Amino acid sequence: MPRKKITISEKVEYLSILNEKGQLDKKLEPDIGEDVLLKLHRFMVLARKFDERLLNLQRQGRIGTFPPIKGQEAAQLGTIAHLRASDWMVPAFRETAAELWRGKSLENIIIYNNGFAEGVDIPEDRNDLPISVPVGSQIIHAVGLGWAAKYRQKDDVAMTFFGDGATSEGDFHEGLNFAAVFQAPVVFVCQNNHWAISMPLSKQTRSKTLAQKAIAYGMPGIQVDGNDILAVFSAAQEAVQRARSGDGPTLIECVTYRLMMHTTADDPKRYRTDEEVEKWSKRDPLPRFQKYLMDKGLLSEDKLNEIESQIMEEIQAAVEGAEKQMAAFGDPMDMFDHAYAEMPPYLKEQKADLARELSEGGEEGDHG
Amino acid sequence: MAKMTMVQALNLALQQEMEKDDSVIVLGEDVGVDGGVFRVTDGLINQFGDQRVLDTPLAESAIVGMSIGMAAYGLKPVCEIQFSGFSYQNFHQIENHAARLRWRSQGRFHVPMVLRTPYGGGVRALEHHSESREAYWAHTPGLKMVIPSGPRNARSLLVSAIQDPDPVIFYESKALYRAFREEVPDAEETLPIGKPQLLKEGADLTMISYGAMMRPTLEAAGELKDKDGIEAEVIDLLTISPLDEEILVQSVKKTGRAVVIHEAPRSFGPGAEVVSRLVEKAFYYLEAPIERVAGFDIIIPSFSREKAYLPSFERILRAARKVLAA
Ligand SMILES: Cc1ncc(C[n+]2csc(CCOP(=O)(O)OP(=O)(O)O)c2C)c(N)n1
Ligand SMILES: [Mg+2]
């Protein structure tokens, strides 16, 4: 009975194509059509400007608490760009850029963030699960969706998003294990933005990478520069193809950074330095992609200004539209909708009670 | 004596218990450097260091499972689950182990831990941040379930919970965290777990509530006195489980009428248990059907509509008048 070494032969790859100065590794440059490149860019600018505007609205008390995404646009767009409408998007709560790409309207995002369920916007022809707040819990749903698609002999895939913090939850580990055991067509997208509220990655795990956790479950894992949209795009392309062709799941770790606060209720000055944020600001995904597009002759300063001002108008119109819609929202009676397919009798009574109360009005005055 | 918010009063309880007893350990997500997302653990890591205030990885099941191990060893862990909406991730550790280890080991081990967690609505929060699900815990044999209603009793009850030999689930109302201040004495103060408190005597009606609903309940009692000349007796449960019915039964034997108020959903909520006890023990004294004022049996709506969901002063007053008129 010897004491012998079992060699784990797997390696974790790190992929970077367009570095922070915007220099390109020509050999690795993915073949992306001009229209797709420009669409990616447009959504990156839109997501950035919209995020800034949401923060502004929140500070003015015009929407509630929300989680900014600044800095994570490339990680989200480079991955989501590979999904068809019939593929499944299984988000956490910080995927505004990906949601915009999938067609969610600016207006509805504003409405949702102002605490109205009317902003939940999932058309029949798009397979997107709603936002999921309990960290990591959605990961396993992607496995079920992917497996179900395979069972029905569809080549649809499921892509799920989560953060570095989520990799500490049991659901993450159980989800990866199930996906590998059942060879489900799933792409796990971990946005490692280095922070889980006040917890730095170094206190979240002793693993060198998050990607390597895939090895333990028997699936490929790759770490990419998550602020390099070309690298993210390439890695996700491979992973989606692998899933679609029946070769099972992949874990992609996008190394990125949360440039803003966790949510607008958070004060990051309590736990991280300005220098760290500054360092990561220099690795911003947007300027380097713009430089790449300009080097390729696909973008110019004038064109960029034009895109930006179009987007600002679009956002302004959405803010106005959303506020107009919200002003017209009626009484809160629809809170009783969607609890069950069929409302139990006692719930009908409760609903009638509330309706009566509302119609009588607050004659005792407002003490709320 | 200092005037404190509930957040400050809870912080004082933790700080003093940690100072007194080095077996008290605080652990949870963001409880150290950040001082907790509501700042209840603010400053503790500076005073006691990172071996007594543990910033944990993001995993509720592990936070609670580890607390159970620490407690079985003889420490007194006080873990924080950031929002009660995320305590279901650790539900099995509580139900399968914390609540049972005393019984399963036939008294060899026990679990003197406290699980602190914010609950309740009214703070314009995202989904999963506004629920009131105390019934889950109150329904579990072997657990104690405590919900304070103000800074002073929050401090005393937390001290009692830390000193209690059994696992205590300690719900803190987010809506009350900074709603008002009370005088909180410097010297340690405790309140017995399992004892409701009589807040106001009265002969006409018994009003029973707890947590964030105490304020609108007291307000309604005041209005009944001013406008209707009614003297309502008001009881703050403070402990949901184990539920001590004695004071409730005595009160209803005197008044013959009762209203029970909570923001948790109506069906199978704590109010159902209170009403059952009253029916069992004071049936022949009742002069009117007991009313429950509670959250509706639905998911609490997104925050722009939550006000219509939560029991209000008006809703409590209406129920009280209905009971009085019957
Ligand atoms: C199960 C659960 N526990 C705690 C929380 C509170 N919380 C919300 S986000 C967050 C940190 C998440 O970190 P990460 O997974 O890295 O995602 P990021 O916020 O960085 O996008 C925490 C602790 C939650 N929403 N769900
Ligand atoms: Mg993170």
Side-chain angles (χ1 to χ4, degrees):
Chain A
M1 308 241 185
R3 181 167 165 157
K4 62 177 187 192
K5 298 249 186 280
I6 299 173
T7 310
I8 312 283
S9 59
E10 271 102 338
K11 290 232 167 31
V12 175
E13 239 183 323
Y14 174 79
L15 181 63
S16 153
I17 299 174
L18 190 62
N19 74 10
E20 56 189 272
K21 299 200 180 71
Q23 293 157 335
L24 178 72
D25 185 334
K26 249 327 206 170
K27 299 187 299 298
L28 292 172
E29 186 183 9
D31 181 20
I32 311 177
E34 270 181 31
D35 47 341
V36 176
L37 282 172
L38 290 175
K39 187 176 167 191
L40 285 167
H41 174 252
R42 192 177 189 287
F43 274 85
M44 234 164 144
V45 177
L46 175 66
R48 175 66 57 93
K49 298 284 178 206
F50 186 50
D51 204 52
E52 287 168 358
R53 188 62 195 271
L54 287 177
L55 185 58
N56 196 269
L57 290 173
Q58 193 281 333
R59 293 308 189 215
Q60 295 171 342
R62 291 157 75 183
I63 61 167
T65 310
F66 87 103
I69 64 155
K70 186 175 177 181
Q72 300 182 213
E73 299 88 350
Q76 295 179 21
L77 294 168
T79 45
I80 199 73
H82 297 287
L83 293 199
R84 313 182 295 212
S86 60
D87 289 326
W88 292 83
M89 173 191 177
V90 185
F93 48 81
R94 201 188 296 284
E95 276 75 57
T96 313
E99 308 252 27
L100 287 171
W101 180 275
R102 291 292 275 179
K104 196 180 246 189
S105 75
L106 300 170
E107 277 190 32
N108 278 323
I109 293 174
I110 296 168
I111 290 168
Y112 179 84
N113 281 312
N114 201 27
F116 288 102
E118 284 88 339
V120 175
D121 164 18
I122 314 174
E124 285 296 329
D125 60 359
R126 213 167 61 221
N127 283 333
D128 298 354
L129 254 47
I131 281 174
S132 169
V133 174
V135 170
S137 57
Q138 74 285 1
I139 293 173
I140 316 184
H141 307 158
V143 182
L145 291 163
W147 190 88
K150 194 166 110 168
Y151 172 73
R152 290 296 187 204
Q153 302 185 340
K154 298 268 166 51
D155 66 353
D156 293 328
V157 307
M159 178 178 281
T160 182
F161 293 85
F162 50 91
D164 44 305
T167 66
S168 292
E169 288 281 6
D171 284 353
F172 164 79
H173 297 273
E174 295 171 28
L176 260 66
N177 188 43
F178 267 50
V181 166
F182 293 112
Q183 285 295 286
V186 182
V187 180
F188 297 96
V189 180
C190 177
Q191 295 182 73
N192 169 8
N193 65 8
H194 285 84
W195 290 92
I197 311 190
S198 73
M199 286 292 280
L201 183 66
S202 58
K203 291 211 274 181
Q204 198 66 246
T205 180
R206 298 278 286 199
S207 301
K208 207 176 209 167
T209 67
L210 296 174
Q212 76 197 60
K213 295 185 192 262
I215 295 171
Y217 298 106
M219 74 172 78
I222 181 167
Q223 188 185 58
V224 303
D225 178 348
N227 289 358
D228 167 4
I229 196 161
L230 301 184
V232 175
F233 190 94
S234 296
Q237 187 162 41
E238 261 175 46
V240 169
Q241 268 166 10
R242 179 177 300 127
R244 220 184 278 297
S245 53
D247 294 327
T250 307
L251 171 64
I252 304 175
E253 174 190 357
C254 299
V255 181
T256 178
Y257 193 79
R258 195 193 82 211
L259 286 170
M260 305 303 285
M261 60 292 285
H262 166 69
T263 68
T264 45
D266 171 50
D267 173 14
K269 289 212 185 311
R270 291 176 69 92
Y271 53 78
R272 70 182 188 187
T273 62
D274 289 344
E275 292 81 74
E276 184 186 294
V277 180
E278 206 121 293
K279 187 180 90 181
W280 278 95
S281 297
K282 297 199 180 98
R283 300 178 189 163
D284 188 325
L286 187 52
R288 72 173 92 165
F289 188 42
Q290 283 176 172
K291 178 173 181 303
Y292 169 77
L293 294 176
M294 285 180 186
D295 291 350
K296 270 183 114 62
L298 293 175
L299 190 68
S300 63
E301 286 296 341
D302 285 350
K303 190 88 208 326
L304 182 59
N305 289 337
E306 193 188 312
I307 293 170
E308 285 182 352
S309 60
Q310 261 175 16
I311 282 173
M312 295 309 278
E313 274 170 36
E314 198 181 316
I315 292 172
Q316 181 56 27
V319 172
E320 285 165 21
E323 294 193 329
K324 210 163 132 199
Q325 273 198 63
M326 289 188 283
F329 283 160
D331 64 41
M333 291 311 298
D334 64 0
M335 71 168 81
F336 288 90
D337 297 350
H338 310 297
Y340 298 97
E342 203 181 317
M343 200 181 278
Y346 60 87
L347 208 48
K348 285 185 189 153
E349 265 177 45
Q350 293 178 17
K351 186 173 178 178
D353 284 347
L354 179 61
R356 202 175 313 116
E357 180 183 313
L358 293 171
S359 71
E360 285 166 9
E363 70 243 302
E364 285 104 3
D366 185 8
H367 289 251
Chain B
M1 275 290 206
K3 277 206 159 249
M4 290 188 175
T5 62
M6 193 190 271
V7 166
Q8 293 167 326
L10 291 163
N11 183 268
L12 177 70
L14 290 168
Q15 190 264 337
Q16 288 186 336
E17 288 311 288
M18 291 183 81
E19 207 155 51
K20 206 173 76 185
D21 180 354
D22 72 358
S23 59
V24 180
I25 306 288
V26 163
L27 68 159
E29 293 157 14
D30 306 289
V31 297
V33 176
D34 200 34
V37 295
F38 290 101
R39 310 288 178 247
V40 173
T41 55
D42 197 18
L44 297 179
I45 196 168
N46 301 330
Q47 186 177 349
F48 299 103
D50 63 5
Q51 293 299 297
R52 294 197 57 199
V53 181
L54 275 57
D55 261 327
T56 67
L58 210 176
E60 292 75 15
S61 183
I63 291 167
V64 172
M66 185 159 168
S67 297
I68 293 170
M70 289 174 167
Y73 189 93
L75 301 181
K76 292 180 185 155
V78 183
C79 69
E80 174 177 304
I81 297 299
Q82 201 160 78
F83 290 89
S84 60
F86 309 125
S87 61
Y88 317 123
Q89 270 77 350
N90 61 252
F91 194 89
H92 79 106
Q93 285 292 345
I94 295 287
E95 155 63 32
N96 295 332
H97 301 292
R100 292 165 181 264
L101 200 57
R102 179 185 290 281
W103 173 81
R104 187 184 304 131
S105 69
Q106 291 294 290
R108 168 68 174 85
F109 297 110
H110 65 136
V111 184
M113 67 173 281
V114 182
L115 186 162
R116 295 181 33 248
T117 191
Y119 87 99
V123 295
R124 292 175 61 81
L126 301 170
E127 198 194 349
H128 309 285
H129 293 70
S130 305
E131 286 73 13
S132 209
R133 299 274 191 267
E134 53 274 25
Y136 291 159
W137 314 109
H139 192 66
T140 304
L143 287 185
K144 297 183 177 178
M145 163 79 271
V146 172
I147 310 187
S149 60
R152 186 164 179 176
N153 62 33
R155 187 278 191 101
S156 310
L157 284 165
L158 184 54
V159 172
S160 300
I162 293 170
Q163 294 174 359
D164 197 280
D166 284 311
V168 178
I169 308 293
F170 194 92
Y171 265 23
E172 301 165 0
S173 160
K174 292 183 287 290
L176 295 183
Y177 265 153
R178 294 188 170 79
F180 62 101
R181 289 169 186 269
E182 275 177 355
E183 291 289 349
V184 178
D186 301 331
E188 182 184 290
E189 207 180 35
T190 59
L191 266 179
I193 289 178
K195 284 279 167 237
Q197 247 185 5
L198 187 70
L199 296 186
K200 178 182 168 308
E201 280 189 66
D204 303 325
L205 167 73
T206 303
M207 301 178 86
I208 302 164
S209 187
Y210 56 87
M213 288 295 116
M214 279 323 299
R215 298 234 294 165
T217 298
L218 283 164
E219 216 183 323
E223 182 86 354
L224 287 171
K225 184 177 158 79
D226 296 346
K227 296 271 167 69
D228 308 32
I230 291 292
E231 289 294 345
E233 185 142 299
V234 181
I235 297 170
D236 184 348
L237 286 183
L238 296 174
T239 302
I240 311 306
S241 172
L243 180 68
D244 178 16
E245 72 228 10
E246 203 184 309
I247 184 176
L248 313 176
V249 170
Q250 268 171 15
S251 175
V252 170
K253 281 185 175 171
K254 179 172 68 176
T255 63
R257 299 170 199 271
V259 188
V260 189
I261 303 110
H262 57 62
E263 60 178 291
R266 179 184 183 87
S267 295
F268 310 96
E273 182 61 29
V274 169
V275 172
S276 295
R277 303 265 184 120
L278 293 175
V279 168
E280 285 161 4
K281 302 270 168 86
F283 182 75
Y284 295 107
Y285 297 83
L286 285 172
E287 291 174 41
I290 302 171
E291 278 285 313
R292 279 182 287 168
V293 184
F296 301 119
D297 291 325
I298 52 174
I299 308 292
I300 186 166
S302 302
F303 63 78
S304 281
R305 301 252 167 80
E306 72 179 326
K307 202 167 161 231
Y309 173 93
L310 293 169
S312 60
F313 162 81
E314 290 84 359
R315 217 171 272 169
I316 298 168
L317 199 59
R318 199 173 298 118
R321 285 181 173 145
K322 187 172 164 199
V323 171
L324 286 161

